[in-house]
Amino acid sequence: MTRDSDRAALDQLERQQVQAWGTDGAAFAATFTEDADFVDVMGGHLRGRAAIAESLQHGFDTFMAGTRMSAPRERSVQFVSDDVAVVVNSGNCVLQPGARECRAEDLSIQTKVAVRQDGRWLFRTFQNTRIRT
């Protein structure tokens, strides 16, 4: 694979997350490795794809129902090795039902470590932190 195809694969992985957000915890979690670490914006730590799927589905069924994930304002992808990449998204948020833009207090930075396993890119770690305003 070339770097361009690797970047395209990582873009697709993030599109899968956006498409799944708000409705399908299992589809969102499928973008992670089985042993992934997921740290949410409130500091909660989920360990493993199954825990990510279960927790997000609970949220999508309750307090996050109807929400959407915004696109980041900035994005960087750095390849640490042929099979490891660090993706940093900045200036994105969870949009509440009916919202068209992120509120300043909802903006966050997401840091994701992606690994190539069996020829496929997946996220191994995810850290979401609010941007100070």
mmCIF file of all heavy atoms in Angstrom, residues 87-127:
data_model
loop_
_atom_site.group_PDB
_atom_site.id
_atom_site.type_symbol
_atom_site.label_atom_id
_atom_site.label_comp_id
_atom_site.label_asym_id
_atom_site.label_seq_id
_atom_site.Cartn_x
_atom_site.Cartn_y
_atom_site.Cartn_z
ATOM 1 N N VAL A 87 -3.589 9.914 14.365
ATOM 2 C CA VAL A 87 -4.548 10.825 13.752
ATOM 3 C C VAL A 87 -5.007 11.798 14.832
ATOM 4 O O VAL A 87 -5.456 11.366 15.899
ATOM 5 C CB VAL A 87 -5.767 10.063 13.185
ATOM 6 C CG1 VAL A 87 -6.774 11.027 12.572
ATOM 7 C CG2 VAL A 87 -5.325 9.005 12.175
ATOM 8 N N VAL A 88 -4.874 13.097 14.564
ATOM 9 C CA VAL A 88 -5.337 14.111 15.500
ATOM 10 C C VAL A 88 -6.377 14.969 14.793
ATOM 11 O O VAL A 88 -6.081 15.591 13.771
ATOM 12 C CB VAL A 88 -4.179 14.989 16.028
ATOM 13 C CG1 VAL A 88 -4.708 16.048 16.984
ATOM 14 C CG2 VAL A 88 -3.118 14.130 16.708
ATOM 15 N N ASN A 89 -7.598 14.942 15.331
ATOM 16 C CA ASN A 89 -8.697 15.764 14.827
ATOM 17 C C ASN A 89 -8.955 16.860 15.850
ATOM 18 O O ASN A 89 -9.074 16.574 17.036
ATOM 19 C CB ASN A 89 -9.977 14.946 14.660
ATOM 20 C CG ASN A 89 -9.865 13.936 13.555
ATOM 21 O OD1 ASN A 89 -9.096 14.101 12.625
ATOM 22 N ND2 ASN A 89 -10.630 12.876 13.651
ATOM 23 N N SER A 90 -9.075 18.091 15.384
ATOM 24 C CA SER A 90 -9.308 19.202 16.283
ATOM 25 C C SER A 90 -10.484 20.039 15.799
ATOM 26 O O SER A 90 -10.645 20.259 14.592
ATOM 27 C CB SER A 90 -8.047 20.078 16.353
ATOM 28 O OG SER A 90 -8.248 21.157 17.229
ATOM 29 N N GLY A 91 -11.276 20.513 16.748
ATOM 30 C CA GLY A 91 -12.383 21.391 16.416
ATOM 31 C C GLY A 91 -13.624 20.666 15.963
ATOM 32 O O GLY A 91 -14.398 21.178 15.168
ATOM 33 N N ASN A 92 -13.838 19.474 16.476
ATOM 34 C CA ASN A 92 -15.060 18.747 16.155
ATOM 35 C C ASN A 92 -15.912 18.635 17.417
ATOM 36 O O ASN A 92 -15.456 18.949 18.512
ATOM 37 C CB ASN A 92 -14.763 17.384 15.543
ATOM 38 C CG ASN A 92 -13.816 16.566 16.363
ATOM 39 O OD1 ASN A 92 -12.798 17.071 16.826
ATOM 40 N ND2 ASN A 92 -14.117 15.322 16.569
ATOM 41 N N CYS A 93 -17.162 18.203 17.240
ATOM 42 C CA CYS A 93 -18.064 18.074 18.383
ATOM 43 C C CYS A 93 -19.162 17.082 18.055
ATOM 44 O O CYS A 93 -19.294 16.630 16.920
ATOM 45 C CB CYS A 93 -18.680 19.425 18.742
ATOM 46 S SG CYS A 93 -19.970 19.981 17.600
ATOM 47 N N VAL A 94 -19.958 16.791 19.069
ATOM 48 C CA VAL A 94 -21.192 16.051 18.884
ATOM 49 C C VAL A 94 -22.291 17.098 18.750
ATOM 50 O O VAL A 94 -22.481 17.933 19.639
ATOM 51 C CB VAL A 94 -21.474 15.111 20.080
ATOM 52 C CG1 VAL A 94 -22.855 14.511 19.984
ATOM 53 C CG2 VAL A 94 -20.411 14.023 20.146
ATOM 54 N N LEU A 95 -22.966 17.077 17.614
ATOM 55 C CA LEU A 95 -24.042 18.021 17.353
ATOM 56 C C LEU A 95 -25.352 17.493 17.920
ATOM 57 O O LEU A 95 -25.746 16.356 17.634
ATOM 58 C CB LEU A 95 -24.189 18.252 15.852
ATOM 59 C CG LEU A 95 -23.015 18.973 15.172
ATOM 60 C CD1 LEU A 95 -23.077 18.786 13.672
ATOM 61 C CD2 LEU A 95 -23.007 20.437 15.543
ATOM 62 N N GLN A 96 -26.004 18.305 18.695
ATOM 63 C CA GLN A 96 -27.298 17.942 19.252
ATOM 64 C C GLN A 96 -28.352 17.997 18.156
ATOM 65 O O GLN A 96 -28.166 18.656 17.133
ATOM 66 C CB GLN A 96 -27.658 18.888 20.397
ATOM 67 C CG GLN A 96 -26.690 18.807 21.572
ATOM 68 C CD GLN A 96 -26.593 17.412 22.167
ATOM 69 O OE1 GLN A 96 -27.598 16.739 22.379
ATOM 70 N NE2 GLN A 96 -25.371 16.957 22.426
ATOM 71 N N PRO A 97 -29.474 17.301 18.334
ATOM 72 C CA PRO A 97 -30.528 17.330 17.316
ATOM 73 C C PRO A 97 -30.917 18.772 16.955
ATOM 74 O O PRO A 97 -31.118 19.606 17.834
ATOM 75 C CB PRO A 97 -31.690 16.598 17.995
ATOM 76 C CG PRO A 97 -31.021 15.662 18.961
ATOM 77 C CD PRO A 97 -29.829 16.435 19.471
ATOM 78 N N GLY A 98 -30.948 19.049 15.665
ATOM 79 C CA GLY A 98 -31.303 20.364 15.161
ATOM 80 C C GLY A 98 -30.151 21.346 15.056
ATOM 81 O O GLY A 98 -30.278 22.383 14.402
ATOM 82 N N ALA A 99 -29.020 21.059 15.705
ATOM 83 C CA ALA A 99 -27.866 21.970 15.649
ATOM 84 C C ALA A 99 -27.172 21.859 14.300
ATOM 85 O O ALA A 99 -27.086 20.777 13.714
ATOM 86 C CB ALA A 99 -26.889 21.658 16.774
ATOM 87 N N ARG A 100 -26.671 22.990 13.813
ATOM 88 C CA ARG A 100 -25.955 23.012 12.545
ATOM 89 C C ARG A 100 -24.464 23.263 12.718
ATOM 90 O O ARG A 100 -23.682 22.947 11.839
ATOM 91 C CB ARG A 100 -26.559 24.070 11.632
ATOM 92 C CG ARG A 100 -28.015 23.787 11.280
ATOM 93 C CD ARG A 100 -28.670 24.902 10.523
ATOM 94 N NE ARG A 100 -28.584 24.871 9.078
ATOM 95 C CZ ARG A 100 -29.138 23.980 8.286
ATOM 96 N NH1 ARG A 100 -29.805 22.985 8.800
ATOM 97 N NH2 ARG A 100 -29.032 24.065 6.982
ATOM 98 N N GLU A 101 -24.090 23.844 13.846
ATOM 99 C CA GLU A 101 -22.688 24.171 14.109
ATOM 100 C C GLU A 101 -22.326 23.803 15.543
ATOM 101 O O GLU A 101 -23.196 23.757 16.418
ATOM 102 C CB GLU A 101 -22.451 25.667 13.891
ATOM 103 C CG GLU A 101 -22.616 26.106 12.459
ATOM 104 C CD GLU A 101 -22.270 27.577 12.272
ATOM 105 O OE1 GLU A 101 -21.524 28.127 13.116
ATOM 106 O OE2 GLU A 101 -22.738 28.163 11.297
ATOM 107 N N CYS A 102 -21.045 23.601 15.761
ATOM 108 C CA CYS A 102 -20.552 23.307 17.100
ATOM 109 C C CYS A 102 -20.557 24.573 17.956
ATOM 110 O O CYS A 102 -20.185 25.641 17.482
ATOM 111 C CB CYS A 102 -19.117 22.786 17.039
ATOM 112 S SG CYS A 102 -18.901 21.228 16.174
ATOM 113 N N ARG A 103 -20.960 24.418 19.196
ATOM 114 C CA ARG A 103 -20.801 25.511 20.159
ATOM 115 C C ARG A 103 -19.347 25.484 20.629
ATOM 116 O O ARG A 103 -18.734 24.411 20.734
ATOM 117 C CB ARG A 103 -21.728 25.322 21.352
ATOM 118 C CG ARG A 103 -23.195 25.286 20.992
ATOM 119 C CD ARG A 103 -24.081 25.071 22.199
ATOM 120 N NE ARG A 103 -23.574 24.010 23.067
ATOM 121 C CZ ARG A 103 -24.044 23.755 24.288
ATOM 122 N NH1 ARG A 103 -25.033 24.462 24.779
ATOM 123 N NH2 ARG A 103 -23.543 22.774 25.008
ATOM 124 N N ALA A 104 -18.798 26.646 20.917
ATOM 125 C CA ALA A 104 -17.390 26.736 21.329
ATOM 126 C C ALA A 104 -17.093 25.822 22.512
ATOM 127 O O ALA A 104 -16.041 25.166 22.550
ATOM 128 C CB ALA A 104 -17.025 28.180 21.662
ATOM 129 N N GLU A 105 -18.002 25.736 23.456
ATOM 130 C CA GLU A 105 -17.762 24.926 24.653
ATOM 131 C C GLU A 105 -17.836 23.423 24.397
ATOM 132 O O GLU A 105 -17.481 22.619 25.257
ATOM 133 C CB GLU A 105 -18.721 25.322 25.790
ATOM 134 C CG GLU A 105 -20.178 25.111 25.483
ATOM 135 C CD GLU A 105 -20.866 26.326 24.854
ATOM 136 O OE1 GLU A 105 -20.205 27.186 24.258
ATOM 137 O OE2 GLU A 105 -22.107 26.385 24.955
ATOM 138 N N ASP A 106 -18.296 23.021 23.210
ATOM 139 C CA ASP A 106 -18.396 21.606 22.867
ATOM 140 C C ASP A 106 -17.241 21.108 22.006
ATOM 141 O O ASP A 106 -17.149 19.906 21.726
ATOM 142 C CB ASP A 106 -19.709 21.325 22.125
ATOM 143 C CG ASP A 106 -20.927 21.542 23.000
ATOM 144 O OD1 ASP A 106 -20.807 21.442 24.242
ATOM 145 O OD2 ASP A 106 -22.002 21.827 22.444
ATOM 146 N N LEU A 107 -16.368 22.003 21.543
ATOM 147 C CA LEU A 107 -15.264 21.608 20.664
ATOM 148 C C LEU A 107 -14.274 20.712 21.399
ATOM 149 O O LEU A 107 -13.987 20.921 22.576
ATOM 150 C CB LEU A 107 -14.547 22.838 20.127
ATOM 151 C CG LEU A 107 -15.357 23.721 19.195
ATOM 152 C CD1 LEU A 107 -14.592 24.991 18.863
ATOM 153 C CD2 LEU A 107 -15.734 22.968 17.932
ATOM 154 N N SER A 108 -13.757 19.745 20.681
ATOM 155 C CA SER A 108 -12.787 18.839 21.288
ATOM 156 C C SER A 108 -11.652 18.501 20.335
ATOM 157 O O SER A 108 -11.692 18.819 19.153
ATOM 158 C CB SER A 108 -13.473 17.555 21.771
ATOM 159 O OG SER A 108 -13.939 16.796 20.690
ATOM 160 N N ILE A 109 -10.655 17.850 20.899
ATOM 161 C CA ILE A 109 -9.515 17.302 20.166
ATOM 162 C C ILE A 109 -9.559 15.794 20.383
ATOM 163 O O ILE A 109 -9.690 15.329 21.516
ATOM 164 C CB ILE A 109 -8.174 17.854 20.679
ATOM 165 C CG1 ILE A 109 -8.102 19.359 20.498
ATOM 166 C CG2 ILE A 109 -7.005 17.153 19.976
ATOM 167 C CD1 ILE A 109 -6.887 19.991 21.146
ATOM 168 N N GLN A 110 -9.466 15.057 19.306
ATOM 169 C CA GLN A 110 -9.428 13.599 19.389
ATOM 170 C C GLN A 110 -8.071 13.120 18.905
ATOM 171 O O GLN A 110 -7.620 13.521 17.828
ATOM 172 C CB GLN A 110 -10.509 12.981 18.511
ATOM 173 C CG GLN A 110 -11.904 13.338 18.917
ATOM 174 C CD GLN A 110 -12.940 12.828 17.948
ATOM 175 O OE1 GLN A 110 -12.628 12.444 16.829
ATOM 176 N NE2 GLN A 110 -14.177 12.820 18.379
ATOM 177 N N THR A 111 -7.440 12.288 19.691
ATOM 178 C CA THR A 111 -6.180 11.664 19.308
ATOM 179 C C THR A 111 -6.436 10.169 19.182
ATOM 180 O O THR A 111 -6.930 9.542 20.118
ATOM 181 C CB THR A 111 -5.081 11.935 20.344
ATOM 182 O OG1 THR A 111 -4.949 13.345 20.524
ATOM 183 C CG2 THR A 111 -3.753 11.347 19.891
ATOM 184 N N LYS A 112 -6.115 9.641 18.009
ATOM 185 C CA LYS A 112 -6.348 8.218 17.732
ATOM 186 C C LYS A 112 -5.047 7.598 17.235
ATOM 187 O O LYS A 112 -4.357 8.177 16.411
ATOM 188 C CB LYS A 112 -7.403 8.037 16.646
ATOM 189 C CG LYS A 112 -8.732 8.718 16.940
ATOM 190 C CD LYS A 112 -9.663 8.648 15.748
ATOM 191 C CE LYS A 112 -10.905 9.478 15.956
ATOM 192 N NZ LYS A 112 -11.817 9.413 14.824
ATOM 193 N N VAL A 113 -4.754 6.416 17.727
ATOM 194 C CA VAL A 113 -3.641 5.635 17.197
ATOM 195 C C VAL A 113 -4.251 4.508 16.371
ATOM 196 O O VAL A 113 -5.077 3.732 16.881
ATOM 197 C CB VAL A 113 -2.737 5.076 18.314
ATOM 198 C CG1 VAL A 113 -1.670 4.162 17.733
ATOM 199 C CG2 VAL A 113 -2.118 6.213 19.111
ATOM 200 N N ALA A 114 -3.872 4.456 15.120
ATOM 201 C CA ALA A 114 -4.367 3.419 14.210
ATOM 202 C C ALA A 114 -3.261 2.405 13.964
ATOM 203 O O ALA A 114 -2.082 2.765 13.869
ATOM 204 C CB ALA A 114 -4.810 4.043 12.890
ATOM 205 N N VAL A 115 -3.656 1.150 13.858
ATOM 206 C CA VAL A 115 -2.711 0.076 13.558
ATOM 207 C C VAL A 115 -3.251 -0.734 12.387
ATOM 208 O O VAL A 115 -4.465 -0.871 12.220
ATOM 209 C CB VAL A 115 -2.461 -0.838 14.778
ATOM 210 C CG1 VAL A 115 -1.788 -0.077 15.901
ATOM 211 C CG2 VAL A 115 -3.742 -1.489 15.263
ATOM 212 N N ARG A 116 -2.331 -1.238 11.595
ATOM 213 C CA ARG A 116 -2.738 -2.125 10.504
ATOM 214 C C ARG A 116 -2.658 -3.558 11.016
ATOM 215 O O ARG A 116 -1.607 -4.012 11.458
ATOM 216 C CB ARG A 116 -1.834 -1.946 9.290
ATOM 217 C CG ARG A 116 -2.324 -2.726 8.097
ATOM 218 C CD ARG A 116 -1.438 -2.679 6.871
ATOM 219 N NE ARG A 116 -0.415 -1.700 6.834
ATOM 220 C CZ ARG A 116 -0.300 -0.742 5.901
ATOM 221 N NH1 ARG A 116 -1.176 -0.659 4.933
ATOM 222 N NH2 ARG A 116 0.709 0.101 5.929
ATOM 223 N N GLN A 117 -3.799 -4.249 10.983
ATOM 224 C CA GLN A 117 -3.867 -5.648 11.409
ATOM 225 C C GLN A 117 -4.438 -6.460 10.257
ATOM 226 O O GLN A 117 -5.510 -6.127 9.747
ATOM 227 C CB GLN A 117 -4.778 -5.816 12.625
ATOM 228 C CG GLN A 117 -4.240 -5.228 13.884
ATOM 229 C CD GLN A 117 -5.162 -5.515 15.069
ATOM 230 O OE1 GLN A 117 -6.329 -5.837 14.922
ATOM 231 N NE2 GLN A 117 -4.617 -5.374 16.262
ATOM 232 N N ASP A 118 -3.719 -7.473 9.861
ATOM 233 C CA ASP A 118 -4.174 -8.337 8.761
ATOM 234 C C ASP A 118 -4.535 -7.524 7.526
ATOM 235 O O ASP A 118 -5.548 -7.789 6.865
ATOM 236 C CB ASP A 118 -5.364 -9.191 9.208
ATOM 237 C CG ASP A 118 -5.019 -10.087 10.391
ATOM 238 O OD1 ASP A 118 -3.879 -10.619 10.409
ATOM 239 O OD2 ASP A 118 -5.865 -10.252 11.289
ATOM 240 N N GLY A 119 -3.742 -6.495 7.242
ATOM 241 C CA GLY A 119 -3.935 -5.676 6.054
ATOM 242 C C GLY A 119 -5.012 -4.615 6.164
ATOM 243 O O GLY A 119 -5.297 -3.909 5.201
ATOM 244 N N ARG A 120 -5.622 -4.476 7.337
ATOM 245 C CA ARG A 120 -6.722 -3.521 7.533
ATOM 246 C C ARG A 120 -6.385 -2.556 8.665
ATOM 247 O O ARG A 120 -5.901 -2.960 9.710
ATOM 248 C CB ARG A 120 -7.984 -4.298 7.882
ATOM 249 C CG ARG A 120 -9.166 -3.432 8.139
ATOM 250 C CD ARG A 120 -10.428 -4.266 8.331
ATOM 251 N NE ARG A 120 -11.525 -3.360 8.633
ATOM 252 C CZ ARG A 120 -12.313 -3.465 9.674
ATOM 253 N NH1 ARG A 120 -12.174 -4.468 10.513
ATOM 254 N NH2 ARG A 120 -13.266 -2.587 9.882
ATOM 255 N N TRP A 121 -6.666 -1.263 8.450
ATOM 256 C CA TRP A 121 -6.449 -0.257 9.482
ATOM 257 C C TRP A 121 -7.607 -0.277 10.476
ATOM 258 O O TRP A 121 -8.770 -0.341 10.095
ATOM 259 C CB TRP A 121 -6.331 1.132 8.871
ATOM 260 C CG TRP A 121 -5.027 1.369 8.186
ATOM 261 C CD1 TRP A 121 -4.782 1.290 6.848
ATOM 262 C CD2 TRP A 121 -3.792 1.712 8.807
ATOM 263 N NE1 TRP A 121 -3.463 1.564 6.598
ATOM 264 C CE2 TRP A 121 -2.831 1.829 7.788
ATOM 265 C CE3 TRP A 121 -3.396 1.936 10.122
ATOM 266 C CZ2 TRP A 121 -1.506 2.163 8.040
ATOM 267 C CZ3 TRP A 121 -2.070 2.269 10.374
ATOM 268 C CH2 TRP A 121 -1.141 2.379 9.342
ATOM 269 N N LEU A 122 -7.273 -0.206 11.781
ATOM 270 C CA LEU A 122 -8.239 -0.081 12.868
ATOM 271 C C LEU A 122 -7.656 0.849 13.922
ATOM 272 O O LEU A 122 -6.428 0.964 14.042
ATOM 273 C CB LEU A 122 -8.535 -1.442 13.505
ATOM 274 C CG LEU A 122 -9.250 -2.470 12.648
ATOM 275 C CD1 LEU A 122 -9.211 -3.842 13.310
ATOM 276 C CD2 LEU A 122 -10.691 -2.035 12.389
ATOM 277 N N PHE A 123 -8.512 1.474 14.704
ATOM 278 C CA PHE A 123 -8.026 2.316 15.789
ATOM 279 C C PHE A 123 -7.754 1.467 17.019
ATOM 280 O O PHE A 123 -8.568 0.640 17.413
ATOM 281 C CB PHE A 123 -9.031 3.424 16.112
ATOM 282 C CG PHE A 123 -9.148 4.425 15.005
ATOM 283 C CD1 PHE A 123 -10.339 4.591 14.332
ATOM 284 C CD2 PHE A 123 -8.062 5.184 14.621
ATOM 285 C CE1 PHE A 123 -10.448 5.506 13.299
ATOM 286 C CE2 PHE A 123 -8.144 6.096 13.585
ATOM 287 C CZ PHE A 123 -9.345 6.264 12.924
ATOM 288 N N ARG A 124 -6.597 1.669 17.617
ATOM 289 C CA ARG A 124 -6.196 0.954 18.837
ATOM 290 C C ARG A 124 -6.480 1.792 20.079
ATOM 291 O O ARG A 124 -6.846 1.282 21.123
ATOM 292 C CB ARG A 124 -4.707 0.577 18.759
ATOM 293 C CG ARG A 124 -4.091 0.010 20.023
ATOM 294 C CD ARG A 124 -4.819 -1.239 20.497
ATOM 295 N NE ARG A 124 -4.296 -1.730 21.755
ATOM 296 C CZ ARG A 124 -4.655 -1.304 22.961
ATOM 297 N NH1 ARG A 124 -5.531 -0.330 23.107
ATOM 298 N NH2 ARG A 124 -4.137 -1.831 24.041
ATOM 299 N N THR A 125 -6.296 3.117 19.958
ATOM 300 C CA THR A 125 -6.583 4.010 21.080
ATOM 301 C C THR A 125 -7.354 5.218 20.586
ATOM 302 O O THR A 125 -7.240 5.624 19.417
ATOM 303 C CB THR A 125 -5.309 4.502 21.803
ATOM 304 O OG1 THR A 125 -4.536 5.283 20.901
ATOM 305 C CG2 THR A 125 -4.493 3.357 22.341
ATOM 306 N N PHE A 126 -8.126 5.788 21.489
ATOM 307 C CA PHE A 126 -8.919 6.980 21.209
ATOM 308 C C PHE A 126 -8.954 7.794 22.491
ATOM 309 O O PHE A 126 -9.262 7.274 23.559
ATOM 310 C CB PHE A 126 -10.333 6.559 20.810
ATOM 311 C CG PHE A 126 -11.312 7.694 20.674
ATOM 312 C CD1 PHE A 126 -11.521 8.288 19.433
ATOM 313 C CD2 PHE A 126 -12.044 8.152 21.757
ATOM 314 C CE1 PHE A 126 -12.449 9.321 19.296
ATOM 315 C CE2 PHE A 126 -12.964 9.174 21.631
ATOM 316 C CZ PHE A 126 -13.165 9.764 20.391
ATOM 317 N N GLN A 127 -8.622 9.074 22.378
ATOM 318 C CA GLN A 127 -8.675 10.002 23.518
ATOM 319 C C GLN A 127 -9.405 11.249 23.053
ATOM 320 O O GLN A 127 -9.018 11.847 22.044
ATOM 321 C CB GLN A 127 -7.255 10.369 23.972
ATOM 322 C CG GLN A 127 -7.182 11.548 24.928
ATOM 323 C CD GLN A 127 -7.563 11.194 26.342
ATOM 324 O OE1 GLN A 127 -7.131 10.164 26.852
ATOM 325 N NE2 GLN A 127 -8.354 12.030 26.984
#
